[in-house]
Amino acid sequence: MANRNQIPTNNSALIAMIADEDTVVGFLLAGVGNVDLRRKTNYLIVDSKTTAKQVEDAFKEFTTREDIAVILISQYVANMIRFLVDSYSKPVPAILEIPSKDHPYDPAHDSILSRVKYLFSAESVASGKR
Amino acid sequence: MHLFNNHGNSFPSLLFLLKIATRGHALLKKKSDALTVQFRQILKKIVSSKESMGEIMKTSSFSLTEAKYVAGGNIKHVVLENVHTASLKVRSRQENVAGVKLPKFEYFTEGETKNDLTGLARGGQQVQQCRVAYVKAIEVLVELASLQTSFLTLDEAIKTTNRRVNALENVVKPRLENTISYIKGELDELEREDFFRLKKIQGYKKREIEKQLASAKEFEFAEKDSSQKGISRNSAHNLLSAGREKDEDIIF
């Protein structure tokens, strides 16, 4: 089998977050947050003043960092950089779209599920029918 | 299956190649089917996981609101101050499924989660509950991440395998079969040509023999005739050979 998709075994990797303040605080409370010596963090708090460019930069940074295995991103934030998220094709780090307090989870926009819409029939989750 | 000849370094025969191509095709098809089964299973799990994730996040969010309420809304500052090294991390392993290496994430805790929330005057219990809720959420999320990466990797693997199956089926095998039937055709034609040539030669030989027999008989008559009519034997011969030569010229 081709070796291009080798996913390196990582013994210790971080979970990054790009989400609204409440969500980030909650996860930080759980112990997910990391600040290294150069004051680089593994999270970005997105509020009304955050620009799409900042989100874009954070996303690009997190996806290229070797020590990040999972990126949690609020779905409404993901919508800001939808094109980037949809064109992202590497299996690692894994991009997970999570709901936020004001924006409940919407499967119709999830980049992973939309990829397999064709596999579903009429009563499908991806079509947003609830 | 005996794959190797005892006399190494010979070119594999076309029939042998066709045999391997057919076998390879069948095996790859099986692999593709097995992977597709796994794929669908994972997809189902992903869909249900995502739904439960929605629920869990709601619960955790709730719990945070409670904690904020009780602790006086100062939580975020304290928490942000307290971020140092992550105590909740993930590690990845590889699992072999139907010949494809799929990644699997596990979360683990390292070191002490900073319990230094002394900035909060009250609400310790709510904060603890909130923390527990979010850790639970992480558990579900890490599981989801595993499923998602497996899903994407499987997707790639299935596409590659199907590409190979199609290549074998639509390119390699027809080419081999065509070459084989072409060669068979040529060999048949050569055989027919040979056969035809053989028959032709037999025909000539037969005619040669018949002609010789015929001329031998003529000679007999000529001799009898000449002895009856008094012509010398030699001239009789000459008459005959002259006639025969002429005939040879015509035929050949």
Side-chain angles (χ1 to χ4, degrees), chain B residues 35-104:
Chain B
L35 291 180
T36 309
V37 164
Q38 287 290 321
F39 186 74
R40 283 182 192 261
Q41 279 180 352
I42 290 190
L43 184 59
K44 268 201 207 142
K45 277 199 224 164
I46 287 186
V47 171
S48 65
S49 257
K50 290 237 172 199
E51 284 177 19
S52 62
M53 167 196 72
E55 285 305 310
I56 289 209
M57 291 296 293
K58 259 206 301 201
T59 320
S60 327
S61 183
F62 228 51
S63 156
L64 177 65
T65 316
E66 266 184 10
K68 267 170 55 172
Y69 178 69
V70 175
N74 222 11
I75 280 199
K76 63 172 186 270
H77 291 128
V78 177
V79 171
L80 282 169
E81 295 290 309
N82 268 306
V83 181
H84 302 283
T85 30
S87 52
L88 232 181
K89 298 201 263 202
V90 293
R91 60 172 154 241
S92 54
R93 286 182 305 122
Q94 299 221 342
E95 259 185 4
N96 193 319
V97 171
V100 181
K101 290 200 164 54
L102 295 179
K104 205 146 170 40

Side-chain angles (χ1 to χ4, degrees), chain B residues 124-220:
Chain B
Q125 202 187 27
Q126 270 74 15
V127 172
Q128 258 310 101
Q129 277 179 349
C130 177
R131 167 179 290 149
V132 164
Y134 272 96
V135 170
K136 185 83 181 77
I138 289 284
E139 199 178 296
V140 172
L141 288 170
V142 166
E143 172 72 23
L144 237 186
S146 279
L147 288 175
Q148 216 169 271
T149 27
S150 301
F151 176 78
L152 290 174
T153 315
L154 261 185
D155 194 31
E156 261 313 302
I158 289 179
K159 284 200 189 116
T160 311
T161 313
N162 283 340
R163 233 178 277 147
R164 290 185 186 154
V165 168
N166 288 336
L168 279 176
E169 196 174 304
N170 298 325
V171 178
V172 175
K173 272 176 68 182
R175 271 200 208 152
L176 287 175
E177 282 162 359
N178 284 342
T179 315
I180 287 176
S181 54
Y182 166 70
I183 290 179
K184 275 201 182 136
E186 289 292 302
L187 286 175
D188 276 346
E189 175 133 0
L190 286 175
E191 202 183 310
R192 262 179 274 133
E193 280 176 19
D194 253 2
F195 188 66
F196 178 73
R197 215 175 285 138
L198 215 70
K199 277 277 144 147
K200 243 303 196 271
I201 291 177
Q202 278 180 351
Y204 286 140
K205 283 220 171 123
K206 214 166 147 191
R207 260 174 282 156
E208 253 309 293
I209 290 176
E210 280 171 4
K211 236 194 286 157
Q212 286 195 3
L213 278 176
S215 61
K217 282 227 174 84
E218 276 181 35
F219 185 62
E220 256 183 60

Side-chain angles (χ1 to χ4, degrees), chain A residues 69-121:
Chain A
V70 178
I71 302 181
L72 303 175
I73 179 165
S74 290
Q75 206 168 31
Y76 79 97
V77 176
N79 286 334
M80 278 161 74
I81 50 166
R82 182 50 64 195
F83 63 99
L84 253 189
V85 175
D86 279 350
S87 61
Y88 177 78
S89 57
K90 286 189 280 172
V92 168
I95 313 285
L96 283 182
E97 295 185 28
I98 56 180
S100 62
K101 208 165 53 174
D102 312 315
H103 306 87
Y105 182 63
D106 179 12
H109 283 109
D110 190 303
S111 71
I112 303 294
L113 290 184
S114 61
R115 246 180 266 204
V116 284
K117 251 190 217 170
Y118 68 93
L119 280 180
F120 292 98
S121 54

Side-chain angles (χ1 to χ4, degrees), chain A:
Chain A
M1 205 65 211
N3 280 332
R4 341 173 205 122
N5 286 329
Q6 277 296 14
I7 292 148
T9 16
N10 200 332
N11 269 329
S12 168
L14 299 168
I15 303 173
M17 293 161 285
I18 307 177
D20 59 295
E21 190 181 271
D22 281 346
T23 317
V24 173
V25 165
F27 282 123
L28 289 181
L29 195 56
V32 171
N34 195 72
V35 177
D36 68 6
L37 302 155
R38 286 194 231 124
R39 313 235 87 215
K40 251 195 331 181
T41 61
N42 63 335
Y43 58 90
L44 173 72
I45 298 183
V46 176
D47 56 23
S48 47
K49 287 181 252 135
T50 325
T51 62
K53 179 90 177 50
Q54 285 172 299
V55 177
E56 215 181 288
D57 289 339
F59 184 81
K60 283 190 189 149
E61 191 210 314
F62 290 158
T63 48
T64 40
R65 268 172 71 166
E66 298 266 313
D67 56 348
I68 291 183
V70 178
I71 302 181
L72 303 175
I73 179 165
S74 290
Q75 206 168 31
Y76 79 97
V77 176
N79 286 334
M80 278 161 74
I81 50 166
R82 182 50 64 195
F83 63 99
L84 253 189
V85 175
D86 279 350
S87 61
Y88 177 78
S89 57
K90 286 189 280 172
V92 168
I95 313 285
L96 283 182
E97 295 185 28
I98 56 180
S100 62
K101 208 165 53 174
D102 312 315
H103 306 87
Y105 182 63
D106 179 12
H109 283 109
D110 190 303
S111 71
I112 303 294
L113 290 184
S114 61
R115 246 180 266 204
V116 284
K117 251 190 217 170
Y118 68 93
L119 280 180
F120 292 98
S121 54
E123 354 88 61
S124 95
V125 174
S127 72
K129 248 174 112 173
R130 276 309 190 124

